[in-house]
Amino acid sequence: MIRSIFFWLVWLGFIGYSVVFAPPDQPDTFALIRDLATGQWKDINPLIVGLFNVMGLWPLIYGALMITDGCGQRLPAWPFAIASFAVGAFAVLPYLALRKPNPDSVESPNGVIRIANSRWLGGAIALGAIGFLAYAFSGGNWGVFVELWHQSKFIHVMSLDFCMLCALVGGLLGDDMARRGLGDRRLFWAIVLTPLLGIVAYLCFRPPLLADVETVGHPA
């Protein structure tokens, strides 16, 4: 109950801050989003390009955790995972508030769950994350970015959304590790405290679900 209340309060606080305290919308916001989405990046600060594209990877990261987690919940995870492509943490937080702790492994993982747990998906996310981070930091102008962070609601809220998604991943990670027989708290905190790259590395190298191991070891 306390866990659920905490996530609901964070969700409401994030919404309230974004509406009341974030900088105002700028007239060129729609054009900026259009150019970012269509790859017209020539005149855009690489830090903004990198951030925007990394935000497109976060739903895949959370989907890789939520799809499996949702099998043990009363509500399906996939609507929240899909909604996170549009609104990021605003969709993830309600799921974290509604879900119950469930470290049990999934019985008879289906095709979708196997894709969500595949290392090739983790590898693809890792390549994307490293590429966009390299692009952002190789030519990004931090002075311009900070100025826009103070002036643009889109940049401001997107940056906070990134930070929120980094911080919230621990809400799913513990149970996901338990489903794979990983109980080392030091590993948990190493992943959580390494923004983005920690969870990306975990998705690349995490062992299979215990159910899959048992199936391989005890064929029908």
Side-chain angles (χ1 to χ4, degrees):
M1 179 62 71
I2 295 177
R3 177 190 178 98
S4 179
I5 293 173
F6 169 77
F7 285 124
W8 282 125
L9 289 175
V10 172
W11 183 64
L12 291 173
F14 193 22
I15 292 174
Y17 178 88
S18 300
V19 173
V20 178
F21 297 106
D25 286 314
Q26 298 299 314
D28 61 346
T29 296
F30 177 79
L32 174 61
I33 296 174
R34 181 198 61 206
D35 290 345
L36 286 168
T38 57
Q40 301 178 48
W41 303 341
K42 181 179 179 181
D43 298 321
I44 303 176
N45 188 344
L47 286 170
I48 295 175
V49 175
L51 176 61
F52 179 83
N53 283 283
V54 166
M55 291 303 296
L57 296 177
W58 273 115
L60 297 176
I61 294 171
Y62 272 88
L65 300 171
M66 292 168 65
I67 296 301
T68 305
D69 184 76
C71 294
Q73 305 295 330
R74 295 180 62 182
L75 72 166
W78 63 264
F80 299 91
I82 292 176
S84 69
F85 278 97
V87 293
F90 293 104
V92 172
L93 277 163
Y95 179 77
L96 294 177
L98 292 168
R99 72 177 291 274
K100 303 296 183 183
N102 178 38
D104 295 333
S105 190
V106 179
E107 296 183 4
S108 302
N110 60 30
V112 175
I113 295 175
R114 291 186 185 279
I115 293 174
N117 284 274
S118 64
R119 289 187 177 179
W120 68 260
L121 176 61
I125 294 172
L127 288 175
I130 293 171
F132 290 130
L133 288 176
Y135 180 84
F137 286 105
S138 63
N141 187 319
W142 281 101
V144 172
F145 181 84
V146 171
E147 183 178 350
L148 288 172
W149 189 84
H150 286 292
Q151 296 176 355
S152 169
K153 181 185 287 287
F154 172 65
I155 302 301
H156 191 94
V157 174
M158 181 168 60
S159 302
L160 295 180
D161 196 8
F162 172 85
C163 295
M164 188 73 72
L165 290 169
C166 288
L168 294 174
V169 76
L172 295 168
L173 179 61
D175 283 355
D176 193 81
M177 290 176 62
R179 296 186 194 104
R180 303 165 199 280
L182 298 174
D184 190 341
R185 298 302 293 177
R186 294 172 299 178
L187 176 61
F188 173 88
W189 286 112
I191 295 169
V192 171
L193 296 177
T194 307
L196 181 60
L197 295 179
I199 189 62
V200 167
Y202 173 75
L203 294 181
C204 287
F205 299 109
R206 60 181 176 173
L209 295 166
L210 293 178
D212 275 350
V213 174
E214 294 170 359
T215 299
V216 173
H218 301 85

